[in-house]
Each structure stands twice: as structure tokens, then as C-alpha cells.
Amino acid sequence: MDPRSPLSSGPSRSARGRRRLLAGALAAALVGTVSACADGGDAGDGAAGSPQEQTLEPPVTVDTGPAPTVDLLDEGTGELRVLAYAPSREPLTVAVTRSATSRTTVPGSEPRVDRTPEQTLTVEGLSEPDVDGAQRATVTALDFTSVDEFRSSQFATAPGFSVTWTRSADGIVRALSLEAPATATDAARAGVEITANAVSEATVAWPTEPIGVGARWTVTRTVDDAVAPTRVVTYELSALDGDVATVSAQTSAPGAAGTLDAAAPDGGPGVTLQVETYEVEGSGELTVDLRAPLPVDGTTESSTRAVYVDPGSGRRTTYDEDSVLEFRRVEQEPAGQ
């Protein structure tokens, strides 16, 4: 089974685990055949109750990794203030749309292309105070659809899924938990978990110092990436109006290793590959309401370009991935309409 597939028929994996598996899959392609499993899973008949009627399973905690480091580069100008997340004034509905394409080219084989067509998770969220100044931000899935009708049928059991982030006032995510409806299919669970991890990574962490428009800071975190385990996001505060901030972001992955060691999937001898190229880039702009559980508007884009060389044969394996994450506030009609 190809661990890159976001809709495999097996249990879902966190984004952190998928990064580690990705490197292993690329290496394994040079020492054995990795069979792909279909975008299967029991799609179910789509007959699920409303989110309020769902029976949820016990929460599952997802490892968020070590806390990132936030470093202020420039405090900006004008009125300076400490930006911090606060409890919601009222529920907020946001549509989160994700799409991705990856391409793996291995000598002697047809290129492998995996596409995640646009799929949208619509959630209603609230945030409330937690202990020690932290905040609990919880969203409940209202709808999960895809431009691909088959995937939409797979996601039919997602409504009612609950995701909770516990984050400090400055936005550093300390814990992430998911509660799935008892009737949820594996495809729905995987789709929600992948999106939840993407939202977690898109959460803006603020400096603890006062800042104003034009402020710049970096957020450095460790990820499960066998080649480049560090991600650095450089933020700039481009606008601030009350509790609503607009930030731009640039992502990089410095310090890529020169080699990649990975075990074969069949338990045989592993392989060591030379890393010829490994580039991770990201950019975007987000509108953040400090009283909302997730960004209310904006788009982030990311790409990975990798080339691995087998030192014994000289064969080159290439991997390219592009993904887009979009947030859009959904205005709810007044009750009774």
C-alpha cells in the first residue's frame, strides 16, 4: 500500500507520520515494488444523522510534536500591542478547501501521479478559555464534499466529527484531539484528520512582545521529515483592525541532509540514497480573527521538490508535490429563513 495516498483503505495517519513514510516510500521504490491500494474504504450509504445526533467515539489524541520557537525580527510601527487569542463571541462557520498533486518518477517504471481534487470541509467553531491562560478551540464538521463525486460519497459520514485544539494565548498548539462519529468510514476519518493537521500547521503563532503593522517574526518547528526536519515560517503583519489581523507567510526547510536512509518495505536490506535536491517552499496570506478557532479567510500554498540518487546504479528518483489550503468564512442565514 502506498502510504502517500490520503484515502487509503487502512486507518488514517497523522501528517507527521506521513512525512516519515514518504521518505521511506521513495527509497523503497528503488529496492522493491510498492503496491498501491485503491482509494477504497467502505463508502457507506451516506445515511448519517445530523451532527447534533451523532454518537462520538472516545477522543483520539494526535501528537503535535515539540513546541515551536518564536523569534521577533521587527516590532513594526504605529500602535504596538500583544496579539493573543481570546474566547469566541459567537459560533463561526468556515469552509476549509484542500487540494494536492504529487508525482513520483522511478527509473524503469511509469510515473506515479496522486491527485487530491478540491475537497471542502465546512465546520462550525467556538473557542473558550482553558487553564493557565490557554484556549480550547473546537470545530464540528457540518459537511465534507469533493469535486469528485466518488470522494464525496466516501466523506458522507464526516458530519459530526469534532476536532479540538488546545493552544496557548500566543497560538502555539499544545494538543490536538479528534472525536469521530461511530458510523464514520475510514475515508472520512482520514480526510478530516489530514485537514485538521493542515489547519493546525496553518495556525499563526504570535510573538509575546508587543507588535504593530509591519512586524516580522519567525516560527521554527521540528517535523518528522527524514531529510529536512526543520520548518521555518516567516510572518509579516500587514494589517490590524481590532481583533482581525492579516499576515503574510513564507515557509522554508533549511539544513537538508545529504543522504536518506530507509528500510525496505519487505524487511529486506535497506537503502542509502544521495539527496541531490530537496526544496520545500510555502507562501500565503491569512486573515486571522483572534476570537475564532481557525483562520477566517486566506490561502496558503506549499511545494516540495526532491531528487534522490542511488549511488550504486546512478538511478535518479524524483518527487514533486504541490498543495493548496484555502479558508473562507461562510455567512449563516438568520434563524427562521
Side-chain angles (χ1 to χ4, degrees):
M1 179 169 62
D2 190 337
R4 294 183 299 272
S5 174
L7 287 177
S8 63
S9 59
S12 60
R13 300 183 175 95
S14 71
R16 288 167 55 78
R18 286 196 309 280
R19 293 192 190 99
R20 178 184 295 166
L21 289 169
L22 170 61
L26 293 172
L30 296 180
V31 295
T33 300
V34 180
S35 61
C37 61
D39 280 353
D42 180 11
D45 59 9
S50 68
Q52 292 78 11
E53 297 170 348
Q54 292 289 339
T55 299
L56 299 179
E57 297 176 349
V60 175
T61 300
V62 178
D63 180 15
T64 59
T69 301
V70 181
D71 294 303
L72 181 62
L73 305 178
D74 186 336
E75 67 178 12
T77 60
E79 180 183 356
L80 305 183
R81 53 182 278 210
V82 175
L83 298 188
Y85 291 99
S88 302
R89 291 192 176 95
E90 57 187 19
L92 178 76
T93 302
V94 176
V96 184
T97 300
R98 180 180 176 272
S99 61
T101 301
S102 65
R103 181 184 179 90
T104 306
T105 303
V106 180
S109 302
E110 289 293 322
R112 167 70 184 271
V113 179
D114 292 300
R115 292 186 176 89
T116 301
E118 282 192 3
Q119 54 193 46
T120 300
L121 178 64
T122 302
V123 299
E124 182 180 76
L126 281 169
S127 57
E128 59 185 6
D130 201 78
V131 297
D132 298 328
Q135 180 197 67
R136 285 173 54 85
T138 301
V139 299
T140 301
L142 302 179
D143 192 25
F144 199 3
T145 60
S146 171
V147 295
D148 180 275
E149 292 184 0
F150 176 67
R151 288 183 179 234
S152 285
S153 68
Q154 289 184 312
F155 297 150
T157 57
F161 214 114
S162 178
V163 183
T164 300
W165 293 271
T166 301
R167 60 190 182 190
S168 52
D170 58 6
I172 294 179
V173 177
R174 305 293 184 181
L176 168 62
S177 64
L178 305 97
E179 294 177 84
T183 57
T185 62
D186 285 340
R189 295 167 191 265
V192 172
E193 184 179 346
I194 290 169
T195 304
N197 275 285
V199 172
S200 180
E201 293 179 357
T203 298
V204 177
W206 309 104
T208 55
E209 301 92 341
I211 59 174
V213 174
R216 297 176 62 250
W217 67 98
T218 59
V219 178
T220 303
R221 56 170 48 89
T222 300
V223 299
D224 275 347
D225 186 322
V227 176
T230 301
R231 293 290 182 275
V232 179
V233 183
T234 301
Y235 291 102
E236 180 172 350
L237 180 63
S238 54
L240 181 60
D241 182 7
D243 288 329
V244 179
T246 302
V247 299
S248 61
Q250 299 287 332
T251 302
S252 63
T259 60
L260 168 65
D261 296 318
D266 58 2
V271 62
T272 297
L273 303 177
Q274 295 176 346
V275 180
E276 181 178 287
T277 301
Y278 199 86
E279 300 174 348
V280 176
E281 297 179 341
S283 62
E285 183 176 85
L286 296 171
T287 300
V288 179
D289 186 331
L290 295 172
R291 293 185 176 273
L294 68 171
V296 297
D297 196 12
T299 301
T300 62
E301 301 180 0
S302 63
S303 65
T304 300
R305 306 282 182 262
V307 179
Y308 303 93
V309 179
D310 183 344
S313 65
R315 295 189 303 173
R316 301 167 77 248
T317 294
T318 64
Y319 176 76
D320 296 276
E321 180 183 37
D322 296 283
S323 63
V324 179
L325 188 67
E326 300 179 21
F327 298 89
R328 178 175 56 85
R329 182 196 296 264
V330 179
E331 299 297 338
Q332 297 295 297
E333 294 184 358
Q337 293 191 10

Short mmCIF file of all heavy atoms in Angstrom, two decimals, residues 124-187:
data_model
loop_
_atom_site.label_atom_id
_atom_site.label_comp_id
_atom_site.label_asym_id
_atom_site.label_seq_id
_atom_site.Cartn_x
_atom_site.Cartn_y
_atom_site.Cartn_z
N GLU A 124 -18.22 24.37 11.99
CA GLU A 124 -18.66 25.43 12.89
C GLU A 124 -17.78 25.38 14.12
O GLU A 124 -17.57 24.31 14.69
CB GLU A 124 -20.12 25.24 13.29
CG GLU A 124 -20.64 26.37 14.18
CD GLU A 124 -22.09 26.17 14.56
OE1 GLU A 124 -22.36 25.30 15.42
OE2 GLU A 124 -22.95 26.86 13.99
N GLY A 125 -17.23 26.53 14.51
CA GLY A 125 -16.26 26.52 15.60
C GLY A 125 -16.53 27.53 16.68
O GLY A 125 -17.17 28.56 16.47
N LEU A 126 -16.02 27.21 17.87
CA LEU A 126 -16.05 28.09 19.03
C LEU A 126 -14.73 27.95 19.77
O LEU A 126 -14.08 26.90 19.69
CB LEU A 126 -17.19 27.72 19.98
CG LEU A 126 -18.61 28.17 19.65
CD1 LEU A 126 -19.60 27.46 20.57
CD2 LEU A 126 -18.74 29.68 19.78
N SER A 127 -14.34 28.98 20.50
CA SER A 127 -13.17 28.89 21.36
C SER A 127 -13.56 29.36 22.75
O SER A 127 -14.42 30.23 22.91
CB SER A 127 -12.01 29.72 20.82
OG SER A 127 -12.40 31.08 20.65
N GLU A 128 -12.94 28.76 23.76
CA GLU A 128 -13.27 29.08 25.14
C GLU A 128 -12.00 29.02 25.98
O GLU A 128 -11.01 28.38 25.59
CB GLU A 128 -14.29 28.09 25.69
CG GLU A 128 -13.83 26.65 25.65
CD GLU A 128 -14.93 25.68 26.08
OE1 GLU A 128 -16.05 26.13 26.29
OE2 GLU A 128 -14.63 24.48 26.21
N PRO A 129 -11.99 29.69 27.14
CA PRO A 129 -10.78 29.68 27.98
C PRO A 129 -10.47 28.28 28.49
O PRO A 129 -11.36 27.47 28.75
CB PRO A 129 -11.15 30.63 29.12
CG PRO A 129 -12.28 31.44 28.61
CD PRO A 129 -13.04 30.55 27.68
N ASP A 130 -9.18 28.01 28.67
CA ASP A 130 -8.71 26.78 29.28
C ASP A 130 -7.81 27.19 30.45
O ASP A 130 -7.70 28.38 30.78
CB ASP A 130 -7.95 25.92 28.26
CG ASP A 130 -7.88 24.46 28.65
OD1 ASP A 130 -8.88 23.76 28.47
OD2 ASP A 130 -6.82 24.03 29.15
N VAL A 131 -7.17 26.24 31.07
CA VAL A 131 -6.34 26.55 32.25
C VAL A 131 -5.07 27.29 31.85
O VAL A 131 -4.58 27.18 30.73
CB VAL A 131 -5.99 25.25 33.02
CG1 VAL A 131 -7.25 24.59 33.54
CG2 VAL A 131 -5.21 24.28 32.12
N ASP A 132 -4.54 28.06 32.79
CA ASP A 132 -3.27 28.76 32.63
C ASP A 132 -3.24 29.68 31.42
O ASP A 132 -2.21 29.80 30.73
CB ASP A 132 -2.11 27.75 32.54
CG ASP A 132 -1.97 26.91 33.80
OD1 ASP A 132 -2.28 27.45 34.89
OD2 ASP A 132 -1.58 25.73 33.71
N GLY A 133 -4.36 30.31 31.11
CA GLY A 133 -4.40 31.26 30.02
C GLY A 133 -4.48 30.64 28.64
O GLY A 133 -4.46 31.36 27.63
N ALA A 134 -4.54 29.32 28.57
CA ALA A 134 -4.64 28.65 27.27
C ALA A 134 -6.07 28.75 26.75
O ALA A 134 -6.96 29.30 27.40
CB ALA A 134 -4.20 27.19 27.39
N GLN A 135 -6.29 28.19 25.58
CA GLN A 135 -7.58 28.27 24.94
C GLN A 135 -7.91 26.92 24.30
O GLN A 135 -7.04 26.23 23.78
CB GLN A 135 -7.55 29.36 23.86
CG GLN A 135 -8.85 29.54 23.09
CD GLN A 135 -8.63 30.31 21.80
OE1 GLN A 135 -7.98 29.81 20.90
NE2 GLN A 135 -9.17 31.51 21.73
N ARG A 136 -9.19 26.55 24.39
CA ARG A 136 -9.68 25.37 23.70
C ARG A 136 -10.50 25.84 22.50
O ARG A 136 -11.50 26.53 22.65
CB ARG A 136 -10.55 24.51 24.62
CG ARG A 136 -9.77 23.73 25.65
CD ARG A 136 -10.69 23.06 26.64
NE ARG A 136 -11.69 22.22 25.97
CZ ARG A 136 -11.49 20.96 25.60
NH1 ARG A 136 -10.30 20.39 25.82
NH2 ARG A 136 -12.43 20.26 25.01
N ALA A 137 -10.03 25.47 21.32
CA ALA A 137 -10.73 25.82 20.08
C ALA A 137 -11.30 24.55 19.49
O ALA A 137 -10.56 23.62 19.17
CB ALA A 137 -9.77 26.49 19.10
N THR A 138 -12.60 24.48 19.36
CA THR A 138 -13.26 23.26 18.91
C THR A 138 -14.09 23.55 17.66
O THR A 138 -14.81 24.55 17.60
CB THR A 138 -14.18 22.68 19.99
OG1 THR A 138 -13.40 22.39 21.16
CG2 THR A 138 -14.85 21.40 19.52
N VAL A 139 -13.97 22.68 16.67
CA VAL A 139 -14.79 22.80 15.47
C VAL A 139 -15.54 21.48 15.26
O VAL A 139 -15.03 20.40 15.58
CB VAL A 139 -13.97 23.15 14.21
CG1 VAL A 139 -13.25 24.48 14.39
CG2 VAL A 139 -12.96 22.05 13.89
N THR A 140 -16.74 21.58 14.73
CA THR A 140 -17.55 20.41 14.42
C THR A 140 -17.87 20.41 12.94
O THR A 140 -18.30 21.44 12.38
CB THR A 140 -18.86 20.42 15.23
OG1 THR A 140 -18.56 20.43 16.62
CG2 THR A 140 -19.71 19.19 14.91
N ALA A 141 -17.64 19.27 12.29
CA ALA A 141 -17.87 19.17 10.86
C ALA A 141 -19.36 19.22 10.55
O ALA A 141 -20.15 18.46 11.10
CB ALA A 141 -17.26 17.88 10.33
N LEU A 142 -19.72 20.15 9.66
CA LEU A 142 -21.09 20.24 9.18
C LEU A 142 -21.27 19.53 7.85
O LEU A 142 -22.33 18.97 7.56
CB LEU A 142 -21.50 21.71 9.02
CG LEU A 142 -21.41 22.60 10.25
CD1 LEU A 142 -21.83 24.02 9.89
CD2 LEU A 142 -22.26 22.05 11.38
N ASP A 143 -20.21 19.55 7.03
CA ASP A 143 -20.29 18.98 5.69
C ASP A 143 -18.88 18.72 5.18
O ASP A 143 -17.94 19.42 5.57
CB ASP A 143 -21.02 19.96 4.76
CG ASP A 143 -21.41 19.33 3.43
OD1 ASP A 143 -21.57 18.09 3.39
OD2 ASP A 143 -21.57 20.07 2.44
N PHE A 144 -18.73 17.71 4.34
CA PHE A 144 -17.45 17.41 3.74
C PHE A 144 -17.73 16.92 2.32
O PHE A 144 -18.36 15.88 2.12
CB PHE A 144 -16.72 16.32 4.54
CG PHE A 144 -15.23 16.25 4.29
CD1 PHE A 144 -14.58 17.14 3.45
CD2 PHE A 144 -14.47 15.29 4.93
CE1 PHE A 144 -13.21 17.08 3.24
CE2 PHE A 144 -13.09 15.20 4.72
CZ PHE A 144 -12.46 16.10 3.88
N THR A 145 -17.29 17.70 1.33
CA THR A 145 -17.58 17.37 -0.05
C THR A 145 -16.33 17.47 -0.91
O THR A 145 -15.34 18.08 -0.51
CB THR A 145 -18.65 18.30 -0.64
OG1 THR A 145 -18.16 19.66 -0.56
CG2 THR A 145 -19.96 18.19 0.12
N SER A 146 -16.40 16.91 -2.09
CA SER A 146 -15.31 16.95 -3.05
C SER A 146 -15.89 17.22 -4.42
O SER A 146 -17.06 16.91 -4.70
CB SER A 146 -14.53 15.62 -3.06
OG SER A 146 -13.59 15.59 -4.13
N VAL A 147 -15.07 17.81 -5.31
CA VAL A 147 -15.50 17.98 -6.69
C VAL A 147 -15.60 16.62 -7.37
O VAL A 147 -16.22 16.49 -8.43
CB VAL A 147 -14.53 18.89 -7.46
CG1 VAL A 147 -14.55 20.30 -6.90
CG2 VAL A 147 -13.10 18.33 -7.45
N ASP A 148 -14.99 15.60 -6.77
CA ASP A 148 -15.09 14.23 -7.25
C ASP A 148 -16.26 13.55 -6.54
O ASP A 148 -16.26 13.43 -5.31
CB ASP A 148 -13.79 13.49 -6.98
CG ASP A 148 -13.82 12.05 -7.46
OD1 ASP A 148 -14.32 11.20 -6.70
OD2 ASP A 148 -13.35 11.78 -8.58
N GLU A 149 -17.27 13.11 -7.29
CA GLU A 149 -18.47 12.56 -6.68
C GLU A 149 -18.18 11.32 -5.85
O GLU A 149 -18.81 11.10 -4.80
CB GLU A 149 -19.51 12.23 -7.77
CG GLU A 149 -20.08 13.47 -8.46
CD GLU A 149 -21.16 13.11 -9.45
OE1 GLU A 149 -21.46 11.90 -9.60
OE2 GLU A 149 -21.70 14.03 -10.09
N PHE A 150 -17.24 10.48 -6.28
CA PHE A 150 -16.93 9.27 -5.52
C PHE A 150 -16.38 9.62 -4.16
O PHE A 150 -16.76 9.04 -3.13
CB PHE A 150 -15.94 8.40 -6.30
CG PHE A 150 -15.50 7.17 -5.55
CD1 PHE A 150 -16.40 6.16 -5.26
CD2 PHE A 150 -14.19 7.04 -5.13
CE1 PHE A 150 -16.00 5.03 -4.56
CE2 PHE A 150 -13.78 5.91 -4.43
CZ PHE A 150 -14.68 4.90 -4.16
N ARG A 151 -15.48 10.60 -4.12
CA ARG A 151 -14.92 11.02 -2.83
C ARG A 151 -16.00 11.64 -1.95
O ARG A 151 -16.02 11.43 -0.74
CB ARG A 151 -13.77 11.99 -3.03
CG ARG A 151 -12.53 11.32 -3.59
CD ARG A 151 -11.38 12.31 -3.73
NE ARG A 151 -10.20 11.62 -4.24
CZ ARG A 151 -9.01 11.64 -3.66
NH1 ARG A 151 -8.85 12.29 -2.52
NH2 ARG A 151 -7.99 11.02 -4.19
N SER A 152 -16.89 12.40 -2.55
CA SER A 152 -17.97 12.98 -1.77
C SER A 152 -18.79 11.90 -1.07
O SER A 152 -19.18 12.05 0.09
CB SER A 152 -18.89 13.82 -2.67
OG SER A 152 -18.28 15.05 -3.02
N SER A 153 -19.03 10.78 -1.77
CA SER A 153 -19.79 9.69 -1.15
C SER A 153 -18.98 9.07 -0.01
O SER A 153 -19.54 8.65 1.00
CB SER A 153 -20.15 8.63 -2.19
OG SER A 153 -19.01 7.95 -2.67
N GLN A 154 -17.64 9.02 -0.16
CA GLN A 154 -16.80 8.48 0.90
C GLN A 154 -16.84 9.37 2.15
O GLN A 154 -16.71 8.89 3.28
CB GLN A 154 -15.35 8.34 0.42
CG GLN A 154 -15.15 7.22 -0.60
CD GLN A 154 -13.69 7.08 -0.95
OE1 GLN A 154 -13.01 8.06 -1.22
NE2 GLN A 154 -13.19 5.86 -0.92
N PHE A 155 -16.99 10.68 1.93
CA PHE A 155 -16.95 11.63 3.04
C PHE A 155 -18.32 11.83 3.69
O PHE A 155 -18.46 12.65 4.61
CB PHE A 155 -16.45 13.00 2.55
CG PHE A 155 -15.05 13.00 2.02
CD1 PHE A 155 -14.67 13.88 1.02
CD2 PHE A 155 -14.10 12.11 2.52
CE1 PHE A 155 -13.37 13.90 0.53
CE2 PHE A 155 -12.80 12.11 2.03
CZ PHE A 155 -12.44 13.00 1.04
N ALA A 156 -19.34 11.13 3.23
CA ALA A 156 -20.71 11.39 3.68
C ALA A 156 -20.89 11.20 5.18
O ALA A 156 -21.81 11.78 5.77
CB ALA A 156 -21.69 10.50 2.93
N THR A 157 -20.04 10.42 5.82
CA THR A 157 -20.17 10.16 7.26
C THR A 157 -19.35 11.11 8.12
O THR A 157 -19.29 10.94 9.34
CB THR A 157 -19.76 8.72 7.59
OG1 THR A 157 -18.42 8.50 7.14
CG2 THR A 157 -20.69 7.71 6.90
N ALA A 158 -18.73 12.13 7.51
CA ALA A 158 -17.89 13.06 8.28
C ALA A 158 -18.66 14.03 9.16
O ALA A 158 -18.17 14.41 10.23
CB ALA A 158 -16.97 13.84 7.34
N PRO A 159 -19.88 14.49 8.78
CA PRO A 159 -20.59 15.43 9.65
C PRO A 159 -20.73 14.90 11.07
O PRO A 159 -21.05 13.74 11.30
CB PRO A 159 -21.95 15.57 8.97
CG PRO A 159 -21.65 15.35 7.51
CD PRO A 159 -20.60 14.28 7.50
N GLY A 160 -20.46 15.78 12.03
CA GLY A 160 -20.46 15.39 13.44
C GLY A 160 -19.07 15.19 13.99
O GLY A 160 -18.87 15.19 15.22
N PHE A 161 -18.08 15.02 13.12
CA PHE A 161 -16.68 14.87 13.54
C PHE A 161 -16.27 16.12 14.31
O PHE A 161 -16.55 17.24 13.89
CB PHE A 161 -15.79 14.72 12.31
CG PHE A 161 -14.60 13.83 12.49
CD1 PHE A 161 -14.50 12.64 11.79
CD2 PHE A 161 -13.57 14.18 13.34
CE1 PHE A 161 -13.40 11.82 11.93
CE2 PHE A 161 -12.46 13.38 13.50
CZ PHE A 161 -12.37 12.18 12.79
N SER A 162 -15.61 15.95 15.45
CA SER A 162 -15.20 17.07 16.28
C SER A 162 -13.67 17.10 16.40
O SER A 162 -13.05 16.06 16.62
CB SER A 162 -15.83 16.96 17.67
OG SER A 162 -15.39 18.01 18.51
N VAL A 163 -13.10 18.29 16.23
CA VAL A 163 -11.65 18.48 16.35
C VAL A 163 -11.41 19.59 17.37
O VAL A 163 -12.02 20.65 17.29
CB VAL A 163 -11.01 18.86 15.01
CG1 VAL A 163 -9.49 18.98 15.16
CG2 VAL A 163 -11.37 17.86 13.92
N THR A 164 -10.52 19.34 18.32
CA THR A 164 -10.23 20.32 19.37
C THR A 164 -8.73 20.61 19.42
O THR A 164 -7.92 19.69 19.50
CB THR A 164 -10.69 19.82 20.75
OG1 THR A 164 -12.11 19.60 20.72
CG2 THR A 164 -10.37 20.83 21.83
N TRP A 165 -8.40 21.90 19.34
CA TRP A 165 -7.02 22.34 19.54
C TRP A 165 -6.92 23.00 20.90
O TRP A 165 -7.76 23.85 21.25
CB TRP A 165 -6.61 23.38 18.49
CG TRP A 165 -6.53 22.87 17.09
CD1 TRP A 165 -5.44 22.32 16.47
CD2 TRP A 165 -7.57 22.89 16.11
NE1 TRP A 165 -5.76 21.98 15.18
CE2 TRP A 165 -7.05 22.32 14.93
CE3 TRP A 165 -8.91 23.32 16.13
CZ2 TRP A 165 -7.81 22.18 13.78
CZ3 TRP A 165 -9.66 23.17 14.98
CH2 TRP A 165 -9.12 22.61 13.82
N THR A 166 -5.93 22.64 21.69
CA THR A 166 -5.61 23.38 22.91
C THR A 166 -4.35 24.17 22.61
O THR A 166 -3.31 23.60 22.28
CB THR A 166 -5.38 22.44 24.10
OG1 THR A 166 -6.56 21.66 24.32
CG2 THR A 166 -5.07 23.23 25.36
N ARG A 167 -4.45 25.48 22.68
CA ARG A 167 -3.32 26.33 22.31
C ARG A 167 -3.14 27.42 23.35
O ARG A 167 -4.11 27.88 23.97
CB ARG A 167 -3.53 26.92 20.92
CG ARG A 167 -4.77 27.80 20.80
CD ARG A 167 -5.05 28.15 19.35
NE ARG A 167 -6.21 29.02 19.21
CZ ARG A 167 -6.79 29.32 18.05
NH1 ARG A 167 -6.31 28.81 16.93
NH2 ARG A 167 -7.83 30.13 18.01
N SER A 168 -1.90 27.85 23.50
CA SER A 168 -1.63 28.95 24.41
C SER A 168 -2.13 30.24 23.77
O SER A 168 -2.47 30.28 22.58
CB SER A 168 -0.13 29.02 24.70
OG SER A 168 0.62 29.05 23.50
N ALA A 169 -2.18 31.30 24.55
CA ALA A 169 -2.73 32.56 24.06
C ALA A 169 -1.97 33.08 22.85
O ALA A 169 -2.53 33.78 22.00
CB ALA A 169 -2.71 33.61 25.18
N ASP A 170 -0.67 32.72 22.74
CA ASP A 170 0.10 33.18 21.60
C ASP A 170 -0.07 32.29 20.38
O ASP A 170 0.53 32.53 19.33
CB ASP A 170 1.59 33.30 21.95
CG ASP A 170 2.19 31.98 22.44
OD1 ASP A 170 1.49 30.96 22.40
OD2 ASP A 170 3.37 31.99 22.86
N GLY A 171 -0.89 31.24 20.47
CA GLY A 171 -1.21 30.42 19.30
C GLY A 171 -0.42 29.15 19.16
O GLY A 171 -0.63 28.41 18.19
N ILE A 172 0.46 28.84 20.08
CA ILE A 172 1.23 27.59 19.99
C ILE A 172 0.31 26.43 20.37
O ILE A 172 -0.23 26.40 21.48
CB ILE A 172 2.47 27.63 20.89
CG1 ILE A 172 3.46 28.69 20.36
CG2 ILE A 172 3.15 26.26 20.93
CD1 ILE A 172 4.71 28.83 21.20
N VAL A 173 0.12 25.50 19.45
CA VAL A 173 -0.77 24.37 19.67
C VAL A 173 -0.09 23.37 20.59
O VAL A 173 0.99 22.86 20.29
CB VAL A 173 -1.15 23.70 18.33
CG1 VAL A 173 -2.02 22.47 18.58
CG2 VAL A 173 -1.89 24.69 17.45
N ARG A 174 -0.73 23.10 21.73
CA ARG A 174 -0.17 22.17 22.72
C ARG A 174 -0.76 20.77 22.59
O ARG A 174 -0.12 19.79 22.96
CB ARG A 174 -0.45 22.70 24.13
CG ARG A 174 0.05 24.12 24.37
CD ARG A 174 1.55 24.22 24.36
NE ARG A 174 2.02 25.56 24.68
CZ ARG A 174 3.30 25.91 24.71
NH1 ARG A 174 4.22 25.02 24.44
NH2 ARG A 174 3.65 27.15 25.01
N ALA A 175 -1.99 20.68 22.08
CA ALA A 175 -2.63 19.37 21.97
C ALA A 175 -3.67 19.43 20.86
O ALA A 175 -4.25 20.48 20.58
CB ALA A 175 -3.29 18.96 23.29
N LEU A 176 -3.89 18.29 20.24
CA LEU A 176 -4.88 18.16 19.18
C LEU A 176 -5.60 16.83 19.38
O LEU A 176 -4.96 15.79 19.51
CB LEU A 176 -4.20 18.20 17.81
CG LEU A 176 -5.05 17.80 16.58
CD1 LEU A 176 -6.21 18.77 16.42
CD2 LEU A 176 -4.18 17.80 15.33
N SER A 177 -6.92 16.88 19.45
CA SER A 177 -7.68 15.65 19.61
C SER A 177 -8.84 15.62 18.63
O SER A 177 -9.35 16.66 18.20
CB SER A 177 -8.20 15.51 21.05
OG SER A 177 -9.12 16.55 21.34
N LEU A 178 -9.24 14.40 18.26
CA LEU A 178 -10.30 14.20 17.30
C LEU A 178 -11.31 13.22 17.87
O LEU A 178 -10.93 12.22 18.50
CB LEU A 178 -9.75 13.67 15.97
CG LEU A 178 -8.64 14.49 15.29
CD1 LEU A 178 -7.27 13.91 15.64
CD2 LEU A 178 -8.83 14.48 13.79
N GLU A 179 -12.59 13.52 17.65
CA GLU A 179 -13.66 12.61 18.05
C GLU A 179 -14.48 12.29 16.80
O GLU A 179 -15.08 13.18 16.19
CB GLU A 179 -14.56 13.25 19.11
CG GLU A 179 -13.86 13.51 20.44
CD GLU A 179 -14.76 14.19 21.43
OE1 GLU A 179 -15.55 13.49 22.10
OE2 GLU A 179 -14.69 15.43 21.52
N ALA A 180 -14.47 11.01 16.43
CA ALA A 180 -15.15 10.60 15.20
C ALA A 180 -16.53 10.04 15.50
O ALA A 180 -16.73 9.36 16.51
CB ALA A 180 -14.31 9.54 14.48
N PRO A 181 -17.49 10.29 14.62
CA PRO A 181 -18.79 9.62 14.76
C PRO A 181 -18.58 8.11 14.68
O PRO A 181 -17.71 7.62 13.94
CB PRO A 181 -19.58 10.13 13.56
CG PRO A 181 -18.92 11.42 13.18
CD PRO A 181 -17.47 11.23 13.50
N ALA A 182 -19.35 7.36 15.45
CA ALA A 182 -19.20 5.91 15.46
C ALA A 182 -19.42 5.31 14.08
O ALA A 182 -18.88 4.24 13.76
CB ALA A 182 -20.17 5.29 16.46
N THR A 183 -20.19 6.00 13.23
CA THR A 183 -20.50 5.47 11.90
C THR A 183 -19.52 5.93 10.83
O THR A 183 -19.68 5.60 9.65
CB THR A 183 -21.91 5.91 11.48
OG1 THR A 183 -21.99 7.35 11.53
CG2 THR A 183 -22.97 5.32 12.41
N ALA A 184 -18.51 6.72 11.19
CA ALA A 184 -17.61 7.29 10.20
C ALA A 184 -16.79 6.23 9.48
O ALA A 184 -16.27 5.30 10.10
CB ALA A 184 -16.67 8.31 10.86
N THR A 185 -16.66 6.35 8.17
CA THR A 185 -15.84 5.44 7.38
C THR A 185 -14.36 5.82 7.53
O THR A 185 -14.02 6.92 7.96
CB THR A 185 -16.21 5.50 5.90
OG1 THR A 185 -15.98 6.84 5.42
CG2 THR A 185 -17.67 5.13 5.69
N ASP A 186 -13.48 4.91 7.14
CA ASP A 186 -12.05 5.19 7.18
C ASP A 186 -11.71 6.38 6.29
O ASP A 186 -10.83 7.19 6.61
CB ASP A 186 -11.25 3.96 6.73
CG ASP A 186 -11.21 2.88 7.79
OD1 ASP A 186 -11.45 3.18 8.97
OD2 ASP A 186 -10.94 1.71 7.43
N ALA A 187 -12.36 6.48 5.13
CA ALA A 187 -12.09 7.59 4.22
C ALA A 187 -12.43 8.92 4.87
O ALA A 187 -11.68 9.89 4.78
CB ALA A 187 -12.86 7.41 2.93
#
